[in-house]
Amino acid sequence: MSEQTDNTPSFEHALQQLEQLVNELEQGDLPLEQSLQKFEQAIALSRTSQTQLQKAEHKVKMLIEENGEQQLQESGASQ
């Protein structure tokens, strides 16, 4: 999506980062403070990804609704 701010990663990049953070946390060899920092980063990336996904779903829904209205108008005009 091209509506991102400079510091917001793309959906795909956020998922990659999130996967990397989860892998690091699952290894269990990080100090507590570092684990907490990585967990906070993971939560932020998860929220960002969820927001981007919701925006994409809304856009798809709007496009489907617009397309449906257009098809109804075309069908009504041909009768």
Side-chain angles (χ1 to χ4, degrees), residues 20-28 30 34-35 38-39 42:
Q20 181 181 351
L21 287 168
V22 168
N23 288 335
E24 291 174 17
L25 288 168
E26 284 180 340
Q27 290 177 5
L30 297 172
Q34 197 173 4
S35 293
K38 291 193 180 286
F39 182 75

Side-chain angles (χ1 to χ4, degrees), residues 12-50:
E12 294 78 8
H13 189 218
L15 286 181
Q16 267 183 332
Q17 288 180 312
L18 185 55
E19 185 176 339
Q20 181 181 351
L21 287 168
V22 168
N23 288 335
E24 291 174 17
L25 288 168
E26 284 180 340
Q27 290 177 5
D29 56 355
L30 297 172
L32 180 60
E33 189 62 34
Q34 197 173 4
S35 293
L36 287 173
Q37 288 175 349
K38 291 193 180 286
F39 182 75
E40 286 180 38
Q41 291 173 348
I43 294 296
L45 285 168
S46 176
R47 288 181 179 154
T48 297
S49 298
Q50 184 66 29

Side-chain angles (χ1 to χ4, degrees), residues 57-70:
E57 287 174 345
H58 179 72
K59 188 172 185 176
V60 167
K61 181 179 176 184
M62 296 302 294
L63 290 170
I64 289 172
E65 288 176 1
E66 287 176 13
N67 189 33
E69 287 180 25
Q70 183 179 10

